[in-house]
Amino acid sequence: MRGCYRACMSNSTKVSILAFALTLSGCSNSAPSDQNQVGEIPVATVAHAVATSARPSGCADRIGVELDRPLMVREDGAAFADPRLNDFQNRVEKAFRRAADAACRNDPKLVRALKPVRSVLVRSGAGADEPTFHVEPPKANVLMFEWHFGDVDLAVPERSDIEDGLRCWAGPERKECSDRGD
């Protein structure tokens, strides 16, 4: 148990163990100072594990990311191999989440705009030289993420560019968004 406590226990289990250990260490007046352990895990170690694993969730954690695979083709129209698309999906999902979480930290308007979104559909759009986002009715809970992915051999845009695209989607009236998408 000592070697895998972070991976083997859920956050609620860690919190329960920590609370129990703190209760025990505070209730025993005859306990020597070195008996502040739960099993073989020192209380300080459990407290550190709980603190480091209980990070606040980001605004994109609950949003699924999918590829519009038929639109993920090379510039010449040839299809990408499935292993390349699978790798790309992992990379673009991480990039989207990091960018959304970073942008949400300072943009309550983006946080509100993302609340109804349940999934992001990643599509390659020829001519979309900036990452753009939009919702197509009637699917108000699906956010389209377009960029010229196929033309750039499945490269992923920079995080700052994805953040800018998200901010301009949530607040198109912003000064920096006036020429976006032209």
Side-chain angles (χ1 to χ4, degrees):
M1 174 102 175
R2 176 180 245 158
C4 74
Y5 71 90
R6 284 185 197 213
C8 297
M9 288 189 277
S10 68
N11 283 346
S12 60
T13 302
K14 291 174 191 172
V15 170
S16 297
I17 289 173
L18 177 61
F20 178 72
L22 292 175
T23 302
L24 282 180
S25 66
C27 292
S28 174
N29 24 348
S30 63
S33 61
D34 65 340
Q35 287 189 354
N36 64 345
Q37 297 181 6
V38 176
E40 294 184 8
I41 305 171
V43 172
T45 303
V46 174
H48 173 73
V50 170
T52 57
S53 65
R55 72 167 182 84
S57 63
C59 67
D61 286 354
R62 61 176 175 63
I63 299 174
V65 177
E66 299 176 34
L67 300 183
D68 190 344
R69 287 182 180 250
L71 291 182
M72 291 296 166
V73 294
R74 298 180 191 280
E75 192 172 9
D76 63 3
F80 287 100
D82 282 340
R84 292 247 2 248
L85 287 176
N86 294 339
D87 173 65
F88 171 68
Q89 178 160 349
N90 289 331
R91 290 184 296 116
V92 77
E93 181 174 0
K94 286 177 187 173
F96 168 77
R97 289 187 196 290
R98 287 182 182 139
D101 290 346
C104 283
R105 282 188 208 113
N106 300 317
D107 193 341
K109 191 173 203 172
L110 178 58
V111 173
R112 284 189 303 276
L114 284 174
K115 277 199 188 278
V117 174
R118 296 292 170 246
S119 65
V120 170
L121 185 60
V122 179
R123 304 192 304 190
S124 187
D129 59 350
E130 302 167 310
T132 58
F133 295 85
H134 61 93
V135 174
E136 293 178 356
K139 295 182 178 182
N141 62 350
V142 178
L143 183 62
M144 307 300 166
F145 175 8
E146 294 181 346
W147 193 54
H148 55 235
F149 296 108
D151 299 349
V152 293
D153 199 33
L154 299 180
V156 175
E158 296 293 321
R159 185 178 94 179
S160 60
D161 293 332
I162 298 171
E163 288 178 36
D164 290 345
L166 285 166
R167 285 189 195 100
C168 287
W169 164 69
E173 72 286 346
R174 295 171 190 246
K175 181 173 54 175
E176 66 270 20
C177 302
S178 62
D179 65 345
R180 194 165 185 90
D182 293 344

